[in-house]
Amino acid sequence: MMFKLTEIDDVLTNLGEHADFATIAKKEADLGVQHFQYNVETGATTYFGENGYLVERRTNGIESVVQPEEDPAAVEKIAKQYVSGEMALADAVKHFASAGCQAWTANLKRQVINFTGKEGKIMTTVSF
């Protein structure tokens, strides 16, 4: 199943800023998204589907300078607030950046998100 960035945008707009991640993931999976990676510094997202299909968003306009000091405990706390819908993406990105989180990868089938620091090292994994 092939999806378009406009379809993903429609899902995100309709759900609003404080939707829980499980709801977002279900809607994106229904479009055919299997997993995606978000880059904290650039605001870029790459969405992956089956058979190597991918769609890229170069930036969502939410860019943050990632601090060199990594704080896995803070990343886990922020992640849980973001995943539950307590914290909007723009706020979460600022907090992730200040805690040294470079990116996250959400596996929609396994229902886990890996939050990574320098060189892709996993800082924490959160289920949704």
Side-chain angles (χ1 to χ4, degrees), residues 12 15-21 24 38 40 60 62 64 77-97 104 115:
L12 296 174
L15 291 175
E17 288 187 358
H18 290 282
D20 65 280
F21 200 85
I24 296 168
Y38 183 87
V40 172
N60 60 4
I62 305 171
S64 285
K77 182 179 178 186
I78 298 159
K80 288 179 178 177
Q81 290 176 316
Y82 171 60
V83 167
S84 70
E86 293 173 44
M87 188 180 298
L89 176 64
D91 295 326
V93 167
K94 284 188 265 181
H95 292 296
F96 282 131
W104 66 82
F115 294 86

Side-chain angles (χ1 to χ4, degrees), residues 1 23 47 64 124:
M1 181 185 299
T23 301
Y47 297 91
S64 285
T124 192

Side-chain angles (χ1 to χ4, degrees), residues 10 19 26-27 32 39-40 51 53 57 59-60 63 67 76 84-85 90 93 96 98 108 110 112 121 123:
D10 288 345
K26 167 84 172 84
K27 298 282 188 188
N39 182 306
V40 172
N51 300 320
Y53 181 75
R57 177 191 319 277
T59 184
N60 60 4
E63 300 150 4
Q67 298 303 308
E76 183 172 5
S84 70
V93 167
F96 282 131
S98 67
L108 306 187
R110 290 183 43 229
V112 296
K121 179 183 169 195
M123 297 172 73

